[in-house]
Amino acid sequence: MQIALDLAARGRGRVEPNPMVGAVVVGDGRIVGRGWHREFGGPHAEVFALDDAGDAARGATLYVTLEPCCHQGKTPPCTEAVISAGIGRVVAAMMDPFPEVAGRGLQLLSEAGIEVECGVLEGRAMKLNAPFVKLVTTGRPYVIAKWAMSLDGKIATRTGESRWISSEASRRRAHEMRNIVDAVMIGIGTAVVDDPELTCRIESGRNPRRIIVDSTARLALDSKLVRSAREVETIVAATDAAPAGRVRALRDAGCKVLQVAARDARVDLDALLGLLGGLKLTNVLVEGGGELLGELIGRRLADSAMVFIAQKVIGGRDAPVPVAGEGITPLGDALELTDVRVEQMGPDILIEGRFNAASER
C-alpha cells in the first residue's frame, strides 16, 4: 500500500479536481502491475495497473489507495475493469467520499465474489488526498497559508523592502508549489505594492490561476497581473458594491471578476471559498498579505501553513508582519500546527503543518 501511495503522489497537480490514486497488483507474492492516475480525464490508476499486470491479474490482489469508482464519469467504472480482470482480492486504503461512490464500489466488488478490505494506511491516504476530501465534503478548496519571514517575524523592512528575505532554495520551493496547486491568492495590498506576476518559473511547470481579493476592484489595468490576464487566468474577487465601471474595465481586459457577498464592507472570504469550490478548485495557495492571511487564519478558514524562516533579523516596530488583522485575545485561542515537518532550505528553515489535522494512523 505504501508503494501505491507513492505512485499516487506522482499525479499531484495534474489530476485535480480528481483524487490522486495509485494501484499495485500482487500475484504469487510479487508485484506484477503498477499504475497511477496521471491526468484529469485520463484512465484511472486501476486501469493502468491491470493493463500492466495483464493475465497475471487473474486471482491476484489489487492494492489501491482509494475505493474503486463505480459510476460513469469521464472514464468507465473501475469496478467493471477489476471484475473483468479476474482480481481475487481488493485492499483499499480508504473509502471514496464522493456521493456516487461512498462504499458502493466495494459493495459491488464484494457482490461479484471478490474479497474486499478497507482501511490499510488510511491515515496516510486521507492526508495525501486531504484537498480532494475537503472539496467533496464541504464544497470548498483546501487553503494553504504561505509566507516567508525573518527570524524576528518580519516580512519586509519598515520601508517596505522585501526582496529577498528568503533564499533561492526557498523561492524555488514556492514555485514548485505554484506548479501543483490550482490557484494562488493574494490581497489587493500585495498586488499594489509588489506588482507580482504569480507565475510558475520552473522548467516544464504550469501556471496556476491567480486570484486577487480586491473588494473595490481597484487592481490597476497596467499591472502585470491584468496585462497577462488573457494568457494566465486571473480572477478578481470584489464585493457587489464594487464600482460597475471598474468591474467592466477589468473584464474587458481579460480578468474574470467574481462579485462576492460582503462582510464588514470587504469580500466575505468564506463566501469566496464557496464560489471557488463551485469552480472545482481543489487547493489554493495564499501568499499574502498580512490582512488576508490574518482573516483566513483568524476565521479558521486555512487548512495548513507553509512558513519559510530566513536567518535574518530585521527589527522595527513598524515593519510588517505576516499575519495581521485583529488577532486573538486569550492565548488559549491561538491556533496550533499539528503534523509538523521541518526542512532545511539552503540557509532557511521551512516549517509545514496542518491546522486541526486528524491524527495519522
Side-chain angles (χ1 to χ4, degrees):
M1 188 63 78
Q2 185 58 57
I3 293 171
L5 287 165
D6 292 341
L7 288 169
R10 296 186 185 184
R12 192 189 306 274
R14 299 298 181 266
V15 304
E16 291 79 2
N18 281 353
M20 292 174 276
V21 182
V24 172
V25 180
V26 176
D28 294 327
R30 63 186 181 89
I31 293 177
V32 295
R34 305 171 192 243
W36 70 94
H37 186 29
R38 302 183 183 191
E39 61 181 356
F40 178 70
H44 291 183
E46 298 93 323
V47 173
F48 282 116
L50 293 171
D51 286 348
D52 189 34
D55 292 340
R58 190 156 300 277
T61 297
L62 172 68
Y63 291 86
V64 61
T65 58
L66 185 72
E67 172 187 7
C69 67
C70 56
H71 65 293
Q72 177 68 49
K74 291 186 176 294
T75 60
C78 287
T79 49
E80 293 182 3
V82 173
I83 294 169
S84 297
I87 287 288
R89 177 171 174 249
V90 171
V91 180
M94 60 178 283
M95 287 178 59
D96 189 341
F98 190 66
E100 292 187 47
V101 185
R104 289 186 60 246
L106 293 176
Q107 180 182 347
L108 287 172
L109 294 176
S110 179
E111 291 173 354
I114 298 173
E115 181 185 349
V116 299
E117 181 180 350
C118 188
V120 175
L121 297 187
E122 182 180 28
R124 296 181 191 180
M126 290 285 289
K127 176 182 171 183
L128 177 72
N129 274 314
F132 167 75
V133 172
K134 185 183 179 188
L135 180 63
V136 168
T137 58
T138 71
R140 284 160 169 72
Y142 188 90
V143 176
I144 307 161
K146 173 257 175 185
W147 66 86
M149 66 182 187
S150 62
L151 274 174
D152 56 334
K154 308 296 185 180
I155 59 173
T157 67
R158 62 182 177 83
T159 61
E161 183 181 350
S162 61
R163 295 187 178 181
W164 294 103
I165 286 178
S166 59
S167 68
E168 183 177 344
S170 293
R171 296 196 298 275
R172 178 174 177 79
R173 175 62 67 85
H175 282 282
E176 290 171 351
M177 284 298 296
R178 289 181 183 178
N179 179 46
I180 63 175
V181 296
D182 289 339
V184 173
M185 179 189 291
I186 62 170
I188 184 60
T190 299
V192 170
V193 171
D194 294 346
D195 191 22
E197 293 180 272
L198 301 182
T199 51
C200 175
R201 301 187 190 109
I202 61 174
E203 186 177 353
S204 301
R206 62 110 167 98
N207 292 321
R209 296 173 180 86
R210 305 175 301 189
I211 303 169
I212 301 88
V213 181
D214 180 9
S215 299
T216 58
R218 63 187 176 97
L219 183 64
L221 297 180
D222 63 351
S223 66
K224 293 175 183 176
L225 290 165
V226 176
R227 293 204 313 268
S228 59
R230 298 192 191 279
E231 288 74 50
V232 182
E233 185 174 341
T234 304
I235 300 172
V236 177
T239 68
D240 294 329
R246 293 180 187 170
V247 171
R248 189 181 313 111
L250 287 169
R251 285 176 174 156
D252 289 345
C255 295
K256 180 174 185 175
V257 180
L258 294 179
Q259 292 192 266
V260 187
R263 187 175 189 266
D264 298 329
R266 299 194 296 182
V267 169
D268 184 329
L269 296 179
D270 189 35
L272 172 59
L273 292 175
L275 291 176
L276 297 179
L279 296 175
K280 300 302 180 185
L281 298 192
T282 307
N283 41 39
V284 176
L285 180 67
V286 182
E287 297 195 4
E291 292 297 326
L292 177 59
L293 286 169
E295 185 172 356
L296 283 168
I297 293 173
R299 293 182 62 190
R300 307 314 196 248
L301 298 176
D303 297 286
S304 65
M306 185 177 192
V307 183
F308 297 92
I309 304 175
Q311 307 308 298
K312 301 172 183 176
V313 175
I314 293 176
R317 66 175 61 88
D318 297 323
V321 296
V323 182
E326 292 185 5
I328 56 99
T329 302
L331 190 57
D333 288 347
L335 270 72
E336 294 186 9
L337 283 184
T338 60
D339 189 24
V340 174
R341 298 170 300 286
V342 180
E343 184 179 352
Q344 191 84 33
M345 299 296 300
D348 302 343
I349 294 172
L350 169 61
I351 298 178
E352 296 179 279
R354 294 183 289 167
F355 295 117
N356 304 320
S359 60
E360 180 181 342
R361 294 201 297 273

